[in-house]
């Protein structure tokens, strides 16, 4: 039987990770779960995030996956160890690989990280970056408005997106930062805006960093056309619009809803 991997996120943001994985491994079968009924995770307690993550992973395991990917940075920061303890298959997060790419890319030694409140408060990115060695200086800022902005269909070319991104990037200005980790699945949607506001700064997309890390494992799927199933736990009101903003190659009408396990 063909190998299938499971990918989950707190919502629809993980489609940016799926996009990177589909581009890198088009021949790989995948199943995606976006927990739209319980999103956002980013302002919740570690206990709740872990409980939600375990139920999402169980859903994927029941579908017979051979590995589970926590596409969500918040889950990767808070619950990865627990997922690894509980699941009988390999579990990959998006934080370690993003930290690794950032540490390798910086020349100035100053790396910035933006993420949800829970991700930033956990200190997980600082720990991962400092563990890479070298005398890195890590600057962080939580950007809680960016997720609701995307979830409410505010496209990257909307001036509101630029105003809010500019505000969140202010603490990084004049600090000599040359690499910024987009430490949340939604943020790659605003990549062009962020890049315009930070010319010359390398932006790290955790989905692309993950695809790089997984290349030795799944490189044999670099060609072909695998089967991909998309599930969400709820179809939010602006669902079709958000899916289009996240990844316009995904057909929103073909996404299944399953909340039987909540
Ligand atoms: N998917 C989450 C992350 O990557 C952001 C959305 C949320 O707060 O649930 O951190």
């Amino acid at each position: 039987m063909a190998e299938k991997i499971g990918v989950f996120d707190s919502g629809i943001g993980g489609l940016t990770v799926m996009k990177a994985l589909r581009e890198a491994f088009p021949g790989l079968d995948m199943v995606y779960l976006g927990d739209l009924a319980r999103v956002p995770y980013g302002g919740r307690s570690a206990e709740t995030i872990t409980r939600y993550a375990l139920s999402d992973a169980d859903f994927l395991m029941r579908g017979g996956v051979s590995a589970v990917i926590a596409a969500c940075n918040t889950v990767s920061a808070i619950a990865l160890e627990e997922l690894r303890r509980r699941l009988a298959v390999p579990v990959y997060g998006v934080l370690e690989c993003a930290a690794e790419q950032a540490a390798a890319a910086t020349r100035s030694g100053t790396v910035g990280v933006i993420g949800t409140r829970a991700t930033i408060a956990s200190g997980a990115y600082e720990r991962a970056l400092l563990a890479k060695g070298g005398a890195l200086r890590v600057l962080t800022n939580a950007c809680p408005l960016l997720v609701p902005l995307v979830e409410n269909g505010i496209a990257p070319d909307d001036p509101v997106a630029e105003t809010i991104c500019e505000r969140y990037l202010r603490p990084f200005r004049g600090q000599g930062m040359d690499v910024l980790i987009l430490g949340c699945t939604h943020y790659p949607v605003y990549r062009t805006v962020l890049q315009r506001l930070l010319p010359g700064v390398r932006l790290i997309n955790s989905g692309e960093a993950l695809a790089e890390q997984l290349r030795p494992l799944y490189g044999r799927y670099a060609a072909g056309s695998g089967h991909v199933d998309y599930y969400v736990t709820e179809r939010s009101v602006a669902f079709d619009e958000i899916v289009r903003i996240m990844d316009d190659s995904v057909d929103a009408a073909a996404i299944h809803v399953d909340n039987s396990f909540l």
Side-chain angles (χ1 to χ4, degrees):
M1 211 171 69
E3 173 170 38
K4 177 170 69 176
I5 65 166
V7 180
F8 75 93
D9 180 53
S10 57
I12 215 71
L15 290 184
T16 61
V17 177
M18 282 299 283
K19 189 175 187 182
L21 295 174
R22 278 171 36 223
E23 275 167 20
F25 315 116
L28 182 59
D29 288 352
M30 294 191 262
V31 54
Y32 177 83
L33 173 68
D35 188 10
L36 270 173
R38 298 185 294 191
V39 75
Y41 288 10
R44 299 187 191 277
S45 67
E47 199 181 20
T48 302
I49 293 165
T50 305
R51 185 158 48 84
Y52 287 180
L54 287 169
S55 68
D56 297 338
D58 278 348
F59 171 83
L60 295 171
M61 291 295 288
R62 283 195 295 279
V65 298
S66 57
V68 168
I69 291 172
C72 180
N73 281 262
T74 305
V75 169
S76 301
I78 308 281
L80 206 66
E81 286 313 309
E82 191 59 19
L83 285 166
R84 286 188 171 144
R85 243 194 310 276
R86 301 273 199 105
L87 302 186
V89 299
V91 178
Y92 304 99
V94 284
L95 191 147
E96 272 290 323
C97 49
E100 187 157 343
Q101 262 200 1
T106 182
R107 295 290 162 262
S108 69
T110 299
V111 173
V113 184
I114 52 176
T116 62
R117 284 193 199 280
T119 298
I120 298 304
S122 75
Y125 263 114
E126 275 111 318
R127 283 194 298 280
L129 282 160
L130 297 176
K132 302 292 165 209
L136 292 182
R137 189 164 151 253
V138 183
L139 309 172
T140 63
N141 199 18
C143 305
L145 285 181
L146 294 188
V147 168
L149 220 56
V150 175
E151 299 276 343
N152 282 289
I154 305 295
D157 54 2
D158 191 312
V160 171
E162 175 147 353
T163 303
I164 294 180
C165 287
E166 197 279 324
R167 183 69 174 266
Y168 281 137
L169 294 179
R170 265 185 219 166
F172 298 111
R173 298 210 177 278
Q175 301 285 336
M177 172 186 83
D178 65 348
V179 174
L180 177 71
I181 298 177
L182 308 183
C184 172
T185 49
H186 288 65
Y187 300 174
V189 173
Y190 292 149
R191 191 180 200 156
T192 49
V193 186
L194 295 164
Q195 192 66 78
R196 199 167 50 242
L197 293 166
L198 293 172
V201 171
R202 164 104 184 258
L203 304 181
I204 304 286
N205 173 338
S206 45
E208 289 166 7
L210 178 75
E212 261 329 291
Q213 185 202 326
L214 296 179
R215 211 173 285 282
L217 285 172
Y218 298 115
R220 63 186 181 282
Y221 299 106
S225 56
H227 182 78
V228 183
D229 269 325
Y230 293 94
Y231 287 86
V232 289
T233 50
E234 184 176 277
R235 233 168 223 279
S236 55
V237 178
F239 185 73
D240 292 21
E241 200 180 334
I242 302 163
V243 170
R244 200 166 44 248
I245 290 175
M246 299 307 301
D247 181 353
D248 60 7
S249 70
V250 174
D251 175 13
I255 298 180
H256 314 283
V257 179
D258 191 335
N259 46 29
S260 56
F261 63 98
L262 297 185

